[in-house]
Amino acid sequence: MKNFSVDLLIVTALPEELAALDVLFDFRNSPVLIGKSTYCYVNENIVCETTGESFAAAVLCLNAMGNTNAGIDVANALQDLNASYVFMFGIAGGVKSEVDLADVIVPDKVFYNAHGKQYSSHRDSRPEVLKIDPILLQRLHTYNFHSQSEKDYKVRVGPLAVGEQVIASSNSVSELQKLHAKMIGIEMESYGVGLAVLKSGQASSFVAIRGISDHADEIKNDGYRSKALKNAADFFVGFIKSGLLPKKRADSNQLPKFIAIHHLSLYRRPSVNQAVQNYLKRLQSFDVIELPIDQVDLFIEGSLVDPLQALHRQKEILTRLETILQEHPNCELGYLGLAHIPLMFHMGYEINRREVCVFGNGYNGGEWIDLPEKSVQPSFYVEGIPEQVSQQNGDVVMLMSISYAINSPEPYEVVDQPLAHVHIRAEIPQLGLIDSKQVLNVFTEIFRDTLQKINNRFPYAQRLHLFYAGPPTLAFRCGQQINRNIDPEILVYNYSRREFPNYRWALNLQTSEIIE
């Protein structure tokens, strides 16, 4: 009998699921008795390939399928093991409209569908919902984002239906989809395991990782079980060894949280956590939680082919951000963006006046730069604002030439007889002009002051058409300055030299409408 704490408790329901973890455990040895009744296979030295840190892990195969047995076994195991993380691992049925066979699913919430009321004519379902730890979920999402090009399967995040019966009926699947239209999977243990973790009184985090072995319909068979388990094990083991799962220590609750929004479009860059290890030294004293916005696959030959889908993904991240901020209201928030201008304005606009740390871009090596406090302030000009107030209705065109001079005639042709052409321009537009927090704040204030003057001179202006050539940091900060209650609707235009016209689409920040 042995007593100790582990970093990871991995729970499986079937022996074949246990066997799929052979890369982590030596099953030639006998299971170890932990505490009074828990037999587990144990590996006290799972080494993270990027940090060199080691994890202690135990894998428990349940005595029987179902949520009740799962909950009892895991509750006993947690008393003996005091695990930091609990993973439910194995196979599940998938919803055909949402996932393919052998894909991997990670639930963001679990619907337990055993409760309800039975009438003579129908059954009224009253599901209980268990939410997954948003920080652990986001770390899995980050790993998937940075490793997806290496996989021959997809990883889907979404709701999971859990019950007490094996489902092999498309009609039953349709009924479960009524609980949530985007249900991705169906299985029999995750609610019991998650509830045991929640009620353990320990600071344990729970999530499930499942491979899709069938579609829970009438043609349910075992043809994809082996492939589904192989893919689930590949994803799970890769995540454990990636360095994205922090090893919890006695003082881990004292580490301040830093939420890093990592916004990428045309190119993939190293993760923020890698940047922290290599050169963003200031963030090494934080528990960094990375929120990647993955839009890279929406580009074909350098052009964004689906701006609406890109915007949808941003909104999903903003929803996740709010969940994390509710759990950690005192965390710091950072933005590391290198995306299309309208999308970066949109992120700033949605986050708005919340304090956010932004980082500069190294144009030579591609690294993120922690901006210094001060530098030499460049000269700038604001042109085109009339002295007199106009009572006319109409639109205003605004240009911002910071990194490059906007010389295209298109901004002057987008509106017929605008109220004004306003131009904010650096005396010498160039890359790297925003090289300190001081300069960033100066240009941010210029933008807000110019908006206010436009509001004063044109109180009946309906729209402002914005053409921007500047760094990501300033685009995000300017988006934060826009007030939906005071300012006219602002359309931010996207420039691409590969397309004609060069400004093919715009994003209305207030309405989230993509305008071609």
Side-chain angles (χ1 to χ4, degrees), residues 197-269:
V197 173
L198 181 66
K199 293 191 174 183
S200 68
Q202 300 177 14
S204 303
S205 300
F206 166 73
V207 76
I209 297 175
R210 296 277 197 168
I212 298 302
S213 61
D214 57 76
H215 279 135
D217 54 14
E218 289 77 7
I219 58 173
K220 184 184 182 80
N221 59 61
D222 296 340
Y224 278 85
R225 289 172 78 95
S226 176
K227 178 64 172 173
L229 278 173
K230 179 182 177 181
N231 290 348
D234 175 75
F235 179 71
F236 175 56
V237 175
F239 172 64
I240 297 303
K241 294 187 175 183
S242 70
L244 289 170
L245 185 69
K247 186 169 182 177
K248 294 184 179 180
R249 299 177 175 86
D251 62 348
S252 64
N253 289 331
Q254 304 303 316
L255 282 177
K257 299 288 190 295
F258 188 94
I259 314 301
I261 302 171
H262 192 188
H263 194 178
L264 300 175
S265 55
L266 188 56
Y267 304 107
R268 283 209 170 87
R269 294 158 67 101

Side-chain angles (χ1 to χ4, degrees), residues 107-149:
D108 56 2
K109 56 182 71 70
V110 173
F111 285 80
Y112 182 55
N113 193 40
H115 296 160
K117 186 173 183 179
Q118 184 66 54
Y119 295 91
S120 58
S121 59
H122 67 282
R123 181 178 182 272
D124 182 14
S125 294
R126 299 175 183 178
E128 295 185 17
V129 182
L130 184 70
K131 292 186 177 180
I132 304 300
D133 176 8
I135 296 177
L136 180 55
L137 186 67
Q138 196 56 49
R139 293 187 187 278
L140 282 158
H141 181 81
T142 300
Y143 171 68
N144 179 46
F145 169 66
H146 288 290
S147 64
Q148 59 186 319
S149 61

Side-chain angles (χ1 to χ4, degrees), residues 328-361:
H328 302 284
N330 297 322
C331 71
E332 290 195 35
L333 182 60
Y335 179 76
L336 299 94
L338 193 59
H340 275 29
I341 295 301
L343 300 173
M344 292 188 291
F345 264 88
H346 174 264
M347 284 300 298
Y349 175 75
E350 291 294 332
I351 291 175
N352 213 258
R353 300 305 174 89
R354 189 187 298 272
E355 185 175 350
V356 181
C357 177
V358 294
F359 295 82
N361 303 96

